[in-house]
Amino acid sequence: MKGIYSRIARYMADYLNPMVVLAMDMCLSLLSSLLVFLLASYVSQHTSLFYHTSDFTLVWMISSFVGTSLGIVCFKSYRLIIRHSSIKDVGGVGLSCFVKVLVMAVAVSVFYKLKMGVAFELPFDFDTLKVGIGFCLLYDFLISLFLIICARVVMLFVYDVFKRRANAAADCKRVLVYGISDKSVSLMTRLQNSPHYRIVGFLAKGLQARD
């Protein structure tokens, strides 16, 4: 069992590789744009908040791809794993998603302005269209952010589970960290990645040690 858990832990470390995270972010971002598009297309059958053509479908998805790529490159969000719920890390992912919807907003605006110039007729008021597109972009941003953060949480959870089992199988020394200050938490963070020690809890005056 020791060898099996160790090999799995090493494999999991590879699957947290930034390039794997980048590919995951791209897929999830495009998936969210597709989901919003399909939902808006369905809703538009009963309301006038969304209207599109086959050309618009291409503009929507291509601008999503370009915006996602630009956001990832600008903020390097694929390097932000969000291990300890850092506001900075979450903010980086959020900014990346914001760049995506900003690019999409510009692309959609240009598309409809060009269409208007060639006598493109809408079955409803243009202001109504802008409201519908605005809601779609907002939902796209929220769903993208939610999926990307959830995926990171799941990846880290699975990795930590196998890492703890690998450490347990390797007869690591069980360690209690004294105190609950910032220094104690920092020590715990460093020892978590050690193959020789396993943190089993904190010990502080007036508190019982717990796993």
PDB file of all heavy atoms in Angstrom, residues 8 27 32 34 37 40 43 49 64 75 77 84 93 99 110 122 137 140 150-151 164 169 172 177 183:
ATOM      1  N   ILE A   8       0.590   7.312  -6.450  1.00  0.00           N
ATOM      2  CA  ILE A   8      -0.606   8.113  -6.723  1.00  0.00           C
ATOM      3  C   ILE A   8      -0.371   9.566  -6.339  1.00  0.00           C
ATOM      4  O   ILE A   8      -0.766  10.497  -7.055  1.00  0.00           O
ATOM      5  CB  ILE A   8      -1.829   7.544  -5.970  1.00  0.00           C
ATOM      6  CG1 ILE A   8      -2.207   6.175  -6.542  1.00  0.00           C
ATOM      7  CG2 ILE A   8      -3.016   8.503  -6.072  1.00  0.00           C
ATOM      8  CD1 ILE A   8      -3.343   5.498  -5.823  1.00  0.00           C
ATOM      9  N   CYS A  27     -11.327  24.940 -20.880  1.00  0.00           N
ATOM     10  CA  CYS A  27     -12.503  24.095 -21.128  1.00  0.00           C
ATOM     11  C   CYS A  27     -13.706  24.566 -20.318  1.00  0.00           C
ATOM     12  O   CYS A  27     -14.825  24.658 -20.837  1.00  0.00           O
ATOM     13  CB  CYS A  27     -12.184  22.641 -20.795  1.00  0.00           C
ATOM     14  SG  CYS A  27     -10.991  21.871 -21.916  1.00  0.00           S
ATOM     15  N   SER A  32     -18.926  27.261 -19.909  1.00  0.00           N
ATOM     16  CA  SER A  32     -19.863  28.211 -19.303  1.00  0.00           C
ATOM     17  C   SER A  32     -20.486  29.106 -20.378  1.00  0.00           C
ATOM     18  O   SER A  32     -21.692  29.393 -20.341  1.00  0.00           O
ATOM     19  CB  SER A  32     -19.156  29.058 -18.245  1.00  0.00           C
ATOM     20  OG  SER A  32     -18.216  29.928 -18.838  1.00  0.00           O
ATOM     21  N   LEU A  34     -20.944  28.316 -23.495  1.00  0.00           N
ATOM     22  CA  LEU A  34     -21.875  27.479 -24.255  1.00  0.00           C
ATOM     23  C   LEU A  34     -23.175  27.271 -23.485  1.00  0.00           C
ATOM     24  O   LEU A  34     -24.274  27.340 -24.065  1.00  0.00           O
ATOM     25  CB  LEU A  34     -21.217  26.136 -24.575  1.00  0.00           C
ATOM     26  CG  LEU A  34     -22.070  25.139 -25.367  1.00  0.00           C
ATOM     27  CD1 LEU A  34     -22.452  25.732 -26.721  1.00  0.00           C
ATOM     28  CD2 LEU A  34     -21.334  23.818 -25.541  1.00  0.00           C
ATOM     29  N   PHE A  37     -25.202  30.436 -23.588  1.00  0.00           N
ATOM     30  CA  PHE A  37     -25.751  30.623 -24.938  1.00  0.00           C
ATOM     31  C   PHE A  37     -26.963  29.724 -25.161  1.00  0.00           C
ATOM     32  O   PHE A  37     -27.999  30.182 -25.673  1.00  0.00           O
ATOM     33  CB  PHE A  37     -24.672  30.322 -25.969  1.00  0.00           C
ATOM     34  CG  PHE A  37     -25.146  30.465 -27.389  1.00  0.00           C
ATOM     35  CD1 PHE A  37     -25.190  31.714 -27.987  1.00  0.00           C
ATOM     36  CD2 PHE A  37     -25.556  29.365 -28.115  1.00  0.00           C
ATOM     37  CE1 PHE A  37     -25.635  31.852 -29.298  1.00  0.00           C
ATOM     38  CE2 PHE A  37     -26.009  29.497 -29.417  1.00  0.00           C
ATOM     39  CZ  PHE A  37     -26.047  30.744 -30.007  1.00  0.00           C
ATOM     40  N   ALA A  40     -29.857  30.973 -23.011  1.00  0.00           N
ATOM     41  CA  ALA A  40     -30.432  32.195 -23.568  1.00  0.00           C
ATOM     42  C   ALA A  40     -31.218  31.910 -24.841  1.00  0.00           C
ATOM     43  O   ALA A  40     -32.266  32.522 -25.089  1.00  0.00           O
ATOM     44  CB  ALA A  40     -29.316  33.202 -23.843  1.00  0.00           C
ATOM     45  N   VAL A  43     -34.546  30.526 -23.700  1.00  0.00           N
ATOM     46  CA  VAL A  43     -35.398  31.564 -23.118  1.00  0.00           C
ATOM     47  C   VAL A  43     -35.923  32.501 -24.202  1.00  0.00           C
ATOM     48  O   VAL A  43     -37.059  32.984 -24.130  1.00  0.00           O
ATOM     49  CB  VAL A  43     -34.614  32.361 -22.052  1.00  0.00           C
ATOM     50  CG1 VAL A  43     -35.418  33.560 -21.572  1.00  0.00           C
ATOM     51  CG2 VAL A  43     -34.265  31.454 -20.882  1.00  0.00           C
ATOM     52  N   LEU A  49     -35.502  38.877 -25.078  1.00  0.00           N
ATOM     53  CA  LEU A  49     -34.270  39.369 -24.463  1.00  0.00           C
ATOM     54  C   LEU A  49     -33.014  38.853 -25.149  1.00  0.00           C
ATOM     55  O   LEU A  49     -31.914  39.203 -24.774  1.00  0.00           O
ATOM     56  CB  LEU A  49     -34.242  38.973 -22.975  1.00  0.00           C
ATOM     57  CG  LEU A  49     -35.209  39.718 -22.068  1.00  0.00           C
ATOM     58  CD1 LEU A  49     -35.104  39.187 -20.639  1.00  0.00           C
ATOM     59  CD2 LEU A  49     -34.941  41.216 -22.088  1.00  0.00           C
ATOM     60  N   SER A  64     -15.370  34.284 -26.778  1.00  0.00           N
ATOM     61  CA  SER A  64     -15.169  33.625 -25.485  1.00  0.00           C
ATOM     62  C   SER A  64     -13.784  32.991 -25.419  1.00  0.00           C
ATOM     63  O   SER A  64     -13.071  33.115 -24.416  1.00  0.00           O
ATOM     64  CB  SER A  64     -16.242  32.562 -25.257  1.00  0.00           C
ATOM     65  OG  SER A  64     -16.002  31.840 -24.059  1.00  0.00           O
ATOM     66  N   PHE A  75      -3.253  37.610 -16.472  1.00  0.00           N
ATOM     67  CA  PHE A  75      -3.224  37.444 -15.021  1.00  0.00           C
ATOM     68  C   PHE A  75      -2.637  36.111 -14.570  1.00  0.00           C
ATOM     69  O   PHE A  75      -2.561  35.842 -13.370  1.00  0.00           O
ATOM     70  CB  PHE A  75      -4.643  37.598 -14.460  1.00  0.00           C
ATOM     71  CG  PHE A  75      -5.217  38.961 -14.698  1.00  0.00           C
ATOM     72  CD1 PHE A  75      -6.113  39.181 -15.740  1.00  0.00           C
ATOM     73  CD2 PHE A  75      -4.843  40.035 -13.910  1.00  0.00           C
ATOM     74  CE1 PHE A  75      -6.645  40.435 -15.972  1.00  0.00           C
ATOM     75  CE2 PHE A  75      -5.355  41.300 -14.134  1.00  0.00           C
ATOM     76  CZ  PHE A  75      -6.255  41.498 -15.173  1.00  0.00           C
ATOM     77  N   SER A  77      -3.721  33.171 -14.417  1.00  0.00           N
ATOM     78  CA  SER A  77      -4.619  32.528 -13.448  1.00  0.00           C
ATOM     79  C   SER A  77      -4.384  31.027 -13.337  1.00  0.00           C
ATOM     80  O   SER A  77      -4.778  30.412 -12.339  1.00  0.00           O
ATOM     81  CB  SER A  77      -6.080  32.787 -13.840  1.00  0.00           C
ATOM     82  OG  SER A  77      -6.354  32.324 -15.151  1.00  0.00           O
ATOM     83  N   HIS A  84      -5.209  28.073   0.023  1.00  0.00           N
ATOM     84  CA  HIS A  84      -5.672  28.510   1.340  1.00  0.00           C
ATOM     85  C   HIS A  84      -6.660  29.673   1.232  1.00  0.00           C
ATOM     86  O   HIS A  84      -6.656  30.580   2.037  1.00  0.00           O
ATOM     87  CB  HIS A  84      -4.487  28.906   2.219  1.00  0.00           C
ATOM     88  CG  HIS A  84      -3.552  27.773   2.481  1.00  0.00           C
ATOM     89  ND1 HIS A  84      -3.923  26.683   3.224  1.00  0.00           N
ATOM     90  CD2 HIS A  84      -2.274  27.554   2.070  1.00  0.00           C
ATOM     91  CE1 HIS A  84      -2.898  25.842   3.297  1.00  0.00           C
ATOM     92  NE2 HIS A  84      -1.894  26.347   2.595  1.00  0.00           N
ATOM     93  N   VAL A  93      -8.294  35.054 -10.527  1.00  0.00           N
ATOM     94  CA  VAL A  93      -9.209  34.256 -11.355  1.00  0.00           C
ATOM     95  C   VAL A  93     -10.399  35.110 -11.784  1.00  0.00           C
ATOM     96  O   VAL A  93     -10.847  35.051 -12.939  1.00  0.00           O
ATOM     97  CB  VAL A  93      -9.691  33.007 -10.583  1.00  0.00           C
ATOM     98  CG1 VAL A  93     -10.738  32.248 -11.394  1.00  0.00           C
ATOM     99  CG2 VAL A  93      -8.516  32.086 -10.263  1.00  0.00           C
ATOM    100  N   VAL A  99     -11.965  39.847 -17.916  1.00  0.00           N
ATOM    101  CA  VAL A  99     -11.374  40.162 -19.223  1.00  0.00           C
ATOM    102  C   VAL A  99     -12.100  39.392 -20.318  1.00  0.00           C
ATOM    103  O   VAL A  99     -12.373  39.923 -21.405  1.00  0.00           O
ATOM    104  CB  VAL A  99      -9.869  39.831 -19.229  1.00  0.00           C
ATOM    105  CG1 VAL A  99      -9.303  39.894 -20.645  1.00  0.00           C
ATOM    106  CG2 VAL A  99      -9.109  40.798 -18.335  1.00  0.00           C
ATOM    107  N   VAL A 110     -19.660  45.162 -31.616  1.00  0.00           N
ATOM    108  CA  VAL A 110     -19.184  45.408 -32.987  1.00  0.00           C
ATOM    109  C   VAL A 110     -20.011  44.603 -33.980  1.00  0.00           C
ATOM    110  O   VAL A 110     -20.384  45.105 -35.060  1.00  0.00           O
ATOM    111  CB  VAL A 110     -17.692  45.039 -33.101  1.00  0.00           C
ATOM    112  CG1 VAL A 110     -17.242  45.065 -34.565  1.00  0.00           C
ATOM    113  CG2 VAL A 110     -16.841  45.987 -32.267  1.00  0.00           C
ATOM    114  N   LEU A 122     -33.999  43.679 -36.489  1.00  0.00           N
ATOM    115  CA  LEU A 122     -34.276  42.961 -35.248  1.00  0.00           C
ATOM    116  C   LEU A 122     -35.785  42.912 -35.025  1.00  0.00           C
ATOM    117  O   LEU A 122     -36.497  43.861 -35.371  1.00  0.00           O
ATOM    118  CB  LEU A 122     -33.609  43.670 -34.062  1.00  0.00           C
ATOM    119  CG  LEU A 122     -32.092  43.665 -34.050  1.00  0.00           C
ATOM    120  CD1 LEU A 122     -31.582  44.577 -32.931  1.00  0.00           C
ATOM    121  CD2 LEU A 122     -31.550  42.258 -33.864  1.00  0.00           C
ATOM    122  N   LEU A 137     -23.889  38.071 -20.362  1.00  0.00           N
ATOM    123  CA  LEU A 137     -22.480  38.260 -20.021  1.00  0.00           C
ATOM    124  C   LEU A 137     -22.260  38.175 -18.512  1.00  0.00           C
ATOM    125  O   LEU A 137     -21.259  37.613 -18.054  1.00  0.00           O
ATOM    126  CB  LEU A 137     -21.988  39.608 -20.549  1.00  0.00           C
ATOM    127  CG  LEU A 137     -21.901  39.733 -22.078  1.00  0.00           C
ATOM    128  CD1 LEU A 137     -21.578  41.167 -22.474  1.00  0.00           C
ATOM    129  CD2 LEU A 137     -20.866  38.770 -22.632  1.00  0.00           C
ATOM    130  N   ASP A 140     -22.464  34.578 -17.634  1.00  0.00           N
ATOM    131  CA  ASP A 140     -21.254  33.912 -18.132  1.00  0.00           C
ATOM    132  C   ASP A 140     -20.099  34.129 -17.154  1.00  0.00           C
ATOM    133  O   ASP A 140     -19.362  33.185 -16.818  1.00  0.00           O
ATOM    134  CB  ASP A 140     -20.891  34.464 -19.510  1.00  0.00           C
ATOM    135  CG  ASP A 140     -19.903  33.586 -20.250  1.00  0.00           C
ATOM    136  OD1 ASP A 140     -19.082  32.931 -19.585  1.00  0.00           O
ATOM    137  OD2 ASP A 140     -19.951  33.551 -21.478  1.00  0.00           O
ATOM    138  N   CYS A 150     -14.515  26.004  -8.172  1.00  0.00           N
ATOM    139  CA  CYS A 150     -14.940  24.684  -7.686  1.00  0.00           C
ATOM    140  C   CYS A 150     -14.005  23.591  -8.184  1.00  0.00           C
ATOM    141  O   CYS A 150     -13.677  22.654  -7.437  1.00  0.00           O
ATOM    142  CB  CYS A 150     -16.370  24.394  -8.123  1.00  0.00           C
ATOM    143  SG  CYS A 150     -17.613  25.279  -7.179  1.00  0.00           S
ATOM    144  N   ALA A 151     -13.581  23.693  -9.440  1.00  0.00           N
ATOM    145  CA  ALA A 151     -12.664  22.693  -9.989  1.00  0.00           C
ATOM    146  C   ALA A 151     -11.345  22.683  -9.226  1.00  0.00           C
ATOM    147  O   ALA A 151     -10.786  21.620  -8.942  1.00  0.00           O
ATOM    148  CB  ALA A 151     -12.418  22.963 -11.471  1.00  0.00           C
ATOM    149  N   ARG A 164      -2.189  12.620   2.155  1.00  0.00           N
ATOM    150  CA  ARG A 164      -2.262  12.208   3.560  1.00  0.00           C
ATOM    151  C   ARG A 164      -2.148  10.691   3.692  1.00  0.00           C
ATOM    152  O   ARG A 164      -1.486  10.181   4.599  1.00  0.00           O
ATOM    153  CB  ARG A 164      -3.572  12.700   4.182  1.00  0.00           C
ATOM    154  CG  ARG A 164      -3.574  14.178   4.525  1.00  0.00           C
ATOM    155  CD  ARG A 164      -4.700  14.511   5.468  1.00  0.00           C
ATOM    156  NE  ARG A 164      -6.006  14.255   4.872  1.00  0.00           N
ATOM    157  CZ  ARG A 164      -6.691  15.153   4.184  1.00  0.00           C
ATOM    158  NH1 ARG A 164      -6.198  16.363   4.011  1.00  0.00           N
ATOM    159  NH2 ARG A 164      -7.880  14.855   3.692  1.00  0.00           N
ATOM    160  N   ALA A 169       1.017   5.927   5.087  1.00  0.00           N
ATOM    161  CA  ALA A 169       1.584   4.638   4.710  1.00  0.00           C
ATOM    162  C   ALA A 169       3.104   4.631   4.809  1.00  0.00           C
ATOM    163  O   ALA A 169       3.728   3.573   4.914  1.00  0.00           O
ATOM    164  CB  ALA A 169       1.165   4.271   3.287  1.00  0.00           C
ATOM    165  N   CYS A 172       5.185   8.185   8.680  1.00  0.00           N
ATOM    166  CA  CYS A 172       5.639   9.527   9.021  1.00  0.00           C
ATOM    167  C   CYS A 172       5.478   9.754  10.523  1.00  0.00           C
ATOM    168  O   CYS A 172       4.640   9.148  11.184  1.00  0.00           O
ATOM    169  CB  CYS A 172       4.808  10.571   8.276  1.00  0.00           C
ATOM    170  SG  CYS A 172       5.019  10.517   6.494  1.00  0.00           S
ATOM    171  N   VAL A 177       1.289  20.564  16.660  1.00  0.00           N
ATOM    172  CA  VAL A 177       1.814  21.922  16.603  1.00  0.00           C
ATOM    173  C   VAL A 177       1.302  22.675  17.825  1.00  0.00           C
ATOM    174  O   VAL A 177       0.089  22.729  18.065  1.00  0.00           O
ATOM    175  CB  VAL A 177       1.381  22.626  15.314  1.00  0.00           C
ATOM    176  CG1 VAL A 177       1.892  24.061  15.299  1.00  0.00           C
ATOM    177  CG2 VAL A 177       1.903  21.872  14.095  1.00  0.00           C
ATOM    178  N   LYS A 183       2.318  32.020  13.326  1.00  0.00           N
ATOM    179  CA  LYS A 183       3.548  31.239  13.158  1.00  0.00           C
ATOM    180  C   LYS A 183       3.255  29.747  13.189  1.00  0.00           C
ATOM    181  O   LYS A 183       3.875  28.964  12.463  1.00  0.00           O
ATOM    182  CB  LYS A 183       4.551  31.610  14.253  1.00  0.00           C
ATOM    183  CG  LYS A 183       5.111  33.023  14.123  1.00  0.00           C
ATOM    184  CD  LYS A 183       6.144  33.307  15.194  1.00  0.00           C
ATOM    185  CE  LYS A 183       6.724  34.714  15.031  1.00  0.00           C
ATOM    186  NZ  LYS A 183       7.734  35.029  16.062  1.00  0.00           N
TER     187      LYS A 183
END
